[in-house]
Amino acid sequence: MSDYTLILYYSRHGATRTMAQHIASGVEAAGMEARVRTVPAVSTVTEASEDSIPQDGDIYCDAKDLAECSALILGSPTRFGNMAAALKYFLDGTASEWMNGDLIGKPAAVFTSTSSMHGGQESTLLSMMLPLLHHGMLICGLPYSESALHHTQSGGTPYGASHTAGSKSNLPLTEDEINLCKALGKRVAQTALKLA
Ligand SMILES: Cc1cc2nc3c(=O)[nH]c(=O)nc-3n(C[C@H](O)[C@H](O)[C@H](O)COP(=O)(O)O)c2cc1C
């Protein structure tokens, strides 16, 4: 079984996906494989309407990707101050991993993208931690030794990485946001390697 950090995200317009890619480079900088996976969108006919392999982008996470990871970094766009239903739907299907204790003692972190600066980044990040705590994971935030946390004018929080994408969801990540994504990936991977 290889050591990897699973970066599991949902993204509708691409901002959270871009964050996942920067986080992956932070994981790799720590010397660990980054496995980037997504989840399907949900609708009333989800399982009937989605192909098992997406048309483009990252492939869908399967139960083995989750159960065998050394660490998990979870990302979602903010939806009304909370994670998107697609990611919640995936997590609600992880009862057997919970019963098996597959994620107990493994490091975890969270990231999000919002359209507005005060649109609920912290509430989303904090609520995303709840299922991870139920799974027995060890939550990693971002420490204030990361200088970008002191001067960012957009995203970036001690609770996890974040991005402010603007009302049209088209603002690129700032240098501070990118640095904090990388720092989060690196921190989680380094923690997993130390625990191993
Ligand atoms: C249904 C819905 C609810 C949203 N709720 C919020 C919100 O509470 N606060 C906010 O700032 N942005 C909100 N947004 C905007 C998205 O969080 C934002 O566009 C995000 O950057 C999208 O990420 P993505 O490009 O990865 O899909 C909402 C968008 C949708 C479609």
Side-chain angles (χ1 to χ4, degrees), residues 10-17 77-81 113-116 119-120 165 169:
Y10 175 70
S11 182
R12 173 84 178 151
H13 300 292
T16 312
R17 180 171 184 232
T78 288
R79 294 274 168 92
F80 303 121
S113 175
T114 58
S115 61
S116 58
S169 285

Side-chain angles (χ1 to χ4, degrees), residues 47-68:
E47 290 175 18
S49 63
E50 284 279 10
D51 292 337
S52 57
I53 296 175
Q55 298 294 322
D56 52 30
D58 296 303
I59 63 174
Y60 295 137
C61 187
D62 64 24
K64 209 166 158 222
D65 289 326
L66 183 67
E68 295 186 357

Side-chain angles (χ1 to χ4, degrees), residues 26-140:
V27 168
E28 284 159 2
M32 184 178 263
E33 179 195 342
R35 189 172 295 184
V36 182
R37 294 287 185 270
T38 189
V39 296
V42 289
S43 71
T44 50
V45 288
T46 298
E47 290 175 18
S49 63
E50 284 279 10
D51 292 337
S52 57
I53 296 175
Q55 298 294 322
D56 52 30
D58 296 303
I59 63 174
Y60 295 137
C61 187
D62 64 24
K64 209 166 158 222
D65 289 326
L66 183 67
E68 295 186 357
C69 70
S70 302
L72 172 65
I73 308 178
L74 203 59
S76 173
T78 288
R79 294 274 168 92
F80 303 121
N82 210 322
M83 80 176 95
L87 191 64
K88 180 69 164 55
Y89 181 83
F90 177 89
L91 292 172
D92 285 357
T94 61
S96 72
E97 289 77 10
W98 169 66
M99 288 181 77
N100 290 338
D102 289 328
L103 299 176
I104 290 176
K106 296 178 180 178
V110 290
F111 61 103
T112 191
S113 175
T114 58
S115 61
S116 58
M117 180 83 95
H118 303 291
Q121 293 186 352
E122 280 93 344
S123 62
T124 300
L125 294 172
L126 290 168
S127 59
M128 288 173 75
M129 292 176 191
L130 299 179
L132 303 180
L133 288 165
H134 280 256
H135 271 290
M137 302 198 82
L138 309 173
I139 307 292
C140 298

Side-chain angles (χ1 to χ4, degrees), residues 5 7 21-36 182 185-186 189 193:
T5 292
I7 300 166
Q21 290 161 349
H22 289 298
I23 290 169
S25 74
V27 168
E28 284 159 2
M32 184 178 263
E33 179 195 342
R35 189 172 295 184
V36 182
K182 289 180 179 171
K186 193 171 181 184
L193 289 169

